[in-house]
Amino acid sequence: MTAPSVLTLVEGNTLKLKLEGIPKAYVLKTLVDQTPIVTTGDTKHNARADSWQFEFIAKQAGLARISIISSQGSSALSISPSAITIRVEAAMKLPPLDTEEGMLVRLLLAESRSPEKMGSATAEEVKKGMQWMRRVIVNRLRSDKPEEFMARGASGIVDIVKADDQGSVQFHGFNQYPRLEEGIAKNLDDSLSIANDGTHPKRAAYAQFVQSAIDVANEALPMDPSPNGLFAWRTRRATSPSAEFKLFAMAAGNDFYTHTRLKKKD
């Protein structure tokens, strides 16, 4: 793509720019006005194609202005854009694995549709689904009957999420948390990697996806959309967990259920 005059990168990103049809005789060089924010990497010239390739490395959050100029040559050389403003943002991080917040954020991301799989769902709908998931977990903990969800004696949401009854689990891949099932761990790493890649076309969508999970894990407990309370969710059009769970509504690709005997306790 043609380089725009303004770019957003994330700490640690490498931006590669190429200029074509410029002989080596021009001797191009780079200028950066804020070197603590952006530094220059390798510069290469391909004699066969008469092309130049430059690297710029985002080091820390802030604004920097970069340009490429000719230090010598037989005639004037015009490069457009004449300068590029680079906005460097701080890299996103997930909360530590060994915290309740870290576990909840990873569960919300793993159980929600990523931007690649949202379909017609909006980012706002995906966040609503995350809020409903948090209600399910809290409602199970407060039900006074966590044994209904393989979590007898549960004292916190970690016990609810890790519920395991001889290999039968409530939340796939989380029963041995903080050790995660390999596929889930890879998906989480991929989502965070894209959210931190200013050169990726879906970076903004993934950054919002990750931030939604972090926000939902830290905000005040959202209101329960059901007067009785939500107690389960499953992938859209999957079967009900049992006859005691009644379908309430769908949110961003998941079906949410109430319970015939248990009620929320706020």
Side-chain angles (χ1 to χ4, degrees), residues 22-56:
I22 301 176
K24 189 175 183 178
Y26 276 99
V27 188
L28 302 185
K29 67 176 184 179
T30 60
L31 296 177
V32 180
D33 71 342
Q34 296 290 336
T35 52
I37 296 173
V38 174
T39 60
T40 302
D42 293 339
T43 297
K44 299 177 182 178
H45 179 263
N46 184 328
R48 179 180 299 178
D50 270 343
S51 65
W52 291 75
Q53 181 170 296
F54 304 89
E55 288 185 348
F56 297 92

Side-chain angles (χ1 to χ4, degrees), residues 160 178 235:
I160 297 296
T235 303

Side-chain angles (χ1 to χ4, degrees), residues 140 170 231-234 238-246 257:
R140 288 184 177 192
Q170 290 290 308
F231 283 89
W233 76 82
R234 284 198 165 182
T239 58
S240 170
S242 76
E244 292 185 309
F245 291 89
K246 299 300 180 183
Y257 296 83

Side-chain angles (χ1 to χ4, degrees), residues 251-266:
N254 286 310
D255 288 331
F256 288 81
Y257 296 83
T258 59
H259 199 279
T260 57
R261 291 182 292 102
L262 303 178
K263 308 296 181 186
K264 66 177 181 179
K265 296 182 178 180
D266 285 337

Side-chain angles (χ1 to χ4, degrees), residues 91-103:
M92 300 187 75
K93 297 179 181 179
L94 298 185
L97 266 169
D98 59 351
T99 64
E100 183 178 282
E101 176 195 5
M103 181 206 64

Side-chain angles (χ1 to χ4, degrees), residues 28-156:
L28 302 185
K29 67 176 184 179
T30 60
L31 296 177
V32 180
D33 71 342
Q34 296 290 336
T35 52
I37 296 173
V38 174
T39 60
T40 302
D42 293 339
T43 297
K44 299 177 182 178
H45 179 263
N46 184 328
R48 179 180 299 178
D50 270 343
S51 65
W52 291 75
Q53 181 170 296
F54 304 89
E55 288 185 348
F56 297 92
I57 303 165
K59 304 295 288 185
Q60 66 182 48
L63 287 175
R65 188 176 174 88
I66 66 173
S67 56
I68 300 170
I69 64 171
S70 173
S71 60
Q72 67 182 58
S74 58
S75 61
L77 182 66
S78 176
I79 298 174
S80 180
S82 59
I84 299 175
T85 297
I86 297 182
R87 179 187 300 109
V88 181
E89 297 183 355
M92 300 187 75
K93 297 179 181 179
L94 298 185
L97 266 169
D98 59 351
T99 64
E100 183 178 282
E101 176 195 5
M103 181 206 64
L104 185 54
V105 167
R106 288 167 174 82
L107 178 67
L108 296 177
L109 290 172
E111 291 287 321
S112 301
R113 288 191 175 185
S114 69
E116 296 286 351
K117 300 177 180 178
M118 281 184 186
S120 60
T122 65
E124 289 71 25
E125 290 169 335
V126 170
K127 183 175 182 179
K128 180 179 73 173
M130 292 178 177
Q131 292 170 326
W132 289 11
M133 289 177 192
R134 187 177 170 201
R135 283 296 323 201
V136 167
I137 295 167
V138 172
N139 287 346
R140 288 184 177 192
L141 179 63
R142 293 178 177 177
S143 68
D144 296 331
K145 289 189 175 293
E147 61 270 19
E148 298 266 358
F149 310 101
M150 305 178 188
R152 183 179 297 277
S155 59

Side-chain angles (χ1 to χ4, degrees), residues 201-214:
K202 288 188 176 290
R203 183 257 168 174
Y206 273 89
Q208 186 173 10
F209 179 58
V210 172
Q211 190 61 52
S212 290
I214 294 172

